[in-house]
Amino acid sequence: MTITLDSLEPALSVRQVLTLERVLAGEPEVVAGASHLDRPVRWVHVAEAADVGVMLTGGEMVLTTGVLLVGDEDKQAEYVRSLHRAEAAAVVLGLGRAFPAAPDVMRRAAERCGLPMVVLHRPFPFAELTEEVQSRLVRRKFAAVSLSEAVRTELTALITAGAPLQRLLDEVARHSACPVVVTNLAHRVLGTAGERPAVDDVLRDWERISRQAGGTEGDGWIRAELGGGGERWGRIVLCGYRGDTPTGRLLADRAAEALVLHRMLGGGAACSWEEQSAQSLLTDLVSGVVPARQLLPRARAAGLPVNRRTFVPLVVRDGDPARLERLLRLLGLPGLVAELADGATAVLLSLPRDQDAGALAEHFATRLRTETGPDHTVVAAAEPRAAWDDVPTGLREAQHVADAVADSSAVLDLPPVVRLKDVHLRGLIRLLRDDPHVQSFAERELDGLLRETDEDLLSVLRTYLATGRNKSRTAQLHHVSRPALYRRLESIQVRLGVDLDDFEQAASVHIALLAHDAQQQ
């Protein structure tokens, strides 16, 4: 979309013109068309001829003394009708020798046409009014064009630099000084920007107020459609914009252009924006940086049911987010999917409280493992949460469980859904790995091996303990002879100062090794 100086709407209405200081000096009075004072004024024009309409292009405020209309009521009525046909914004009649009062014929004609008619009771130089209004219109149009080019330049530079969607929205919010929301056609929120408290206020009841606002631009709600090639796939909304509507519409249009370009250049299709929205929300939930209650409006606006629900936090290892999304839709399970770090994908299910959350989670995991194979996917879960505030703890627990089995799937007989109780000691160590006492214990127990960083001996020790101290199996897995393994085990015991045949000492070393491995990941 190209916006030029001529296509920009003016920023002054008839009502605003009548409040200007110079105009007030003429004691203006609206005598007709009072319900149409919000018409935009594109220009101010002085005209006395009865056929003035042929000289107008629409949107003009016409000033006249009526000197050529005196004594001819037909001309007076035709003067008003010609202004109406030309879509003039208003007619201003300066009272004086020609007309000491508003002529009834003109007033009645203006009322019938819905044309605002204003009379000036005090002598007033029309030149001052035209100068005042024209200069304001020109300044505002110039400012609008400058703003348009500045926004376009800044957003294009961000796109060229590979900036993500959020960075673009932040820039739009900075210029508009109001919350900015991007949605798909179903009103699901894909991205937001602006002051967090203001954004949360907008999102608190987003679906209702967004649909209620409809296609209007009242109360500063200004929207622009996103799409191309005749197909719409979303919209951007300025929520509560406090400037004049034309400038707000210009900002929204410029932002829409940038978002469409961002998508065309590979910044992400509409579905990937949904994934980014879910990823941002779930990442904030997992991190705990933002309190869960403050994230509730974002979750609701993202399309997640949150009222009277049971939440099931899952973390899937080596799961394709797109596949998980499709499976959720296939099974009819409401939820959000977001890729985390290190091959983990978070899935937050939101289920009605009268449904068996555990059974549904297991059904989801079983279907997933059927598609991908049990050796390729691990589904870790926390216990279902009835309160939204407990969701972050649940997600972190599921992540701990997924981490605990990341390196042990070959030696553990895993159920379809793995929980904390299924990973036993390894799971406990994962939960405690950041504890300074655990870290100190691991360093102290393994010091003899860690000091020289002998990875071969550490690997042998890890396998030996994981196989329940089975020497034959350990030798087989490391492709060495039994005597060679015995020499390595003897070296390990000497360096650590322990007897691995003693159960308690071996258990202590095993715990230390689990803690050491957990801290390295």
Side-chain angles (χ1 to χ4, degrees):
M1 178 185 300
T2 302
I3 300 177
T4 64
L5 180 64
D6 289 337
S7 65
L8 287 171
E9 292 188 32
L12 290 178
S13 65
V14 175
R15 190 186 309 277
Q16 290 172 317
V17 170
L18 297 181
T19 62
L20 298 178
E21 187 174 350
R22 288 190 180 182
V23 179
L24 290 174
E27 297 182 6
E29 177 190 1
V30 179
V31 296
S35 60
H36 302 278
L37 295 181
D38 291 320
R39 286 183 175 179
V41 176
R42 189 182 61 82
W43 207 243
V44 178
H45 190 66
V46 180
E48 302 288 357
D51 59 350
V52 62
V54 299
M55 296 181 280
L56 306 180
T57 58
E60 294 91 348
M61 174 178 277
V62 178
L63 312 180
T64 182
T65 62
V67 66
L68 299 182
L69 305 176
V70 176
D72 191 330
E73 292 186 349
D74 289 340
K75 282 187 176 181
Q76 294 170 19
E78 177 56 26
Y79 185 85
V80 172
R81 288 194 296 266
S82 68
L83 295 181
H84 170 66
R85 289 192 298 269
E87 299 182 348
V91 58
V92 178
L93 176 64
L95 300 182
R97 286 179 296 178
F99 289 104
D104 288 340
V105 173
M106 293 182 68
R107 183 180 56 78
R108 288 195 300 268
E111 193 65 48
R112 283 194 299 269
C113 294
L115 176 71
M117 180 175 178
V118 182
V119 297
L120 300 175
H121 289 278
R122 292 175 60 88
F124 186 85
F126 283 168
E128 291 187 13
L129 191 152
T130 56
E131 178 185 7
E132 176 74 9
V133 176
Q134 313 292 47
S135 62
R136 284 175 179 266
L137 290 174
V138 170
R139 285 200 303 271
R140 293 196 178 205
K141 285 186 176 182
F142 179 76
V145 172
S146 297
L147 173 64
S148 170
E149 291 308 310
V151 172
R152 169 188 281 162
T153 300
E154 291 171 12
L155 294 181
T156 301
L158 289 173
I159 294 171
T160 303
L165 171 66
Q166 187 60 53
R167 184 66 186 87
L168 269 65
L169 296 183
D170 288 341
E171 192 66 19
V172 176
R174 184 178 70 83
H175 281 288
S176 62
C178 70
V180 175
V181 178
V182 174
T183 76
N184 62 14
L185 296 182
H187 296 265
R188 179 175 175 179
V189 174
L190 307 181
T192 64
E195 294 293 331
R196 197 71 252 168
V199 172
D200 288 344
D201 285 343
V202 168
L203 296 184
R204 195 155 285 116
D205 195 12
W206 169 255
E207 185 167 351
R208 182 186 64 81
I209 61 177
S210 64
R211 294 180 185 276
Q212 194 175 59
T216 66
E217 294 186 344
D219 297 325
W221 282 67
I222 299 174
R223 58 188 45 74
E225 300 298 326
L226 303 176
E231 180 182 0
R232 293 187 301 120
W233 43 265
R235 57 179 60 88
I236 182 170
V237 187
L238 307 186
C239 307
Y241 180 71
R242 295 305 175 196
D244 58 86
T245 299
T247 301
R249 191 178 300 119
L250 175 62
L251 275 172
D253 288 339
R254 281 289 179 254
E257 289 177 359
L259 296 186
V260 171
L261 179 61
H262 184 264
R263 181 188 183 190
M264 290 173 57
L265 294 181
C271 61
S272 74
W273 288 359
E274 294 181 356
E275 293 168 4
Q276 290 177 36
S277 175
Q279 183 175 27
S280 173
L281 174 61
L282 292 184
T283 300
D284 285 347
L285 280 169
V286 171
S287 69
V289 173
V290 182
R293 187 148 298 278
Q294 292 184 21
L295 297 173
L296 190 58
R298 287 171 59 188
R300 185 182 289 112
L304 186 73
V306 295
N307 295 328
R308 299 185 59 79
R309 310 292 286 191
T310 296
F311 302 100
V312 183
L314 305 173
V315 171
V316 181
R317 275 282 174 189
D318 300 322
D320 175 37
R323 181 192 296 272
L324 298 177
E325 283 272 16
R326 287 194 299 270
L327 184 56
L328 286 182
R329 288 195 295 269
L330 178 65
L331 299 178
L333 297 176
L336 295 179
V337 177
E339 188 172 6
L340 303 178
D342 302 325
T345 302
V347 179
L348 179 60
L349 301 181
S350 174
L351 307 173
R353 289 186 177 177
D354 59 353
Q355 293 185 351
D356 188 335
L360 288 173
E362 186 161 336
H363 180 53
F364 168 77
T366 301
R367 286 290 299 271
L368 180 62
R369 295 182 72 179
T370 299
E371 291 185 9
T372 60
D375 296 334
H376 294 88
T377 302
V378 173
V379 179
E383 292 302 315
R385 262 55 180 180
W388 173 258
D389 287 347
D390 295 332
V391 169
T393 304
L395 284 168
R396 287 193 289 272
E397 180 181 315
Q399 191 171 34
H400 281 305
V401 174
D403 288 344
V405 299
D407 300 320
S408 57
S409 57
V411 296
L412 291 178
D413 184 16
L414 298 176
V417 178
V418 188
R419 293 184 169 84
L420 198 56
K421 63 182 179 63
D422 299 313
V423 291
H424 308 293
L425 179 60
R426 189 179 297 272
L428 175 64
I429 294 300
R430 282 283 178 167
L431 287 173
L432 299 177
R433 66 179 177 176
D434 295 326
D435 188 298
H437 298 292
V438 175
Q439 295 172 359
S440 176
F441 169 76
E443 291 292 319
R444 184 171 62 252
E445 288 289 301
L446 301 175
D447 180 63
L449 289 178
L450 297 179
R451 193 184 317 129
E452 298 182 23
T453 60
D454 193 326
E455 290 298 331
D456 180 58
L457 292 182
L458 272 174
S459 178
V460 169
L461 176 62
R462 187 179 292 112
T463 304
Y464 179 63
L465 295 173
T467 57
R469 296 183 292 172
N470 186 321
K471 294 184 177 65
S472 297
R473 180 63 176 153
T474 302
Q476 182 182 13
L477 290 174
H478 283 270
H479 307 288
V480 297
S481 65
R482 290 281 293 270
L485 175 66
Y486 294 156
R487 288 193 296 272
R488 295 183 188 185
L489 291 176
E490 181 63 29
S491 177
I492 291 171
Q493 292 182 105
V494 170
R495 294 192 187 190
L496 297 182
V498 298
D499 179 4
L500 292 179
D501 289 329
D502 181 88
F503 176 78
E504 184 174 338
Q505 293 184 53
S508 181
V509 172
H510 193 187
I511 292 170
L513 186 57
L514 289 175
H516 169 74
D517 289 345
Q519 291 156 16
Q520 304 308 307
Q521 297 173 3

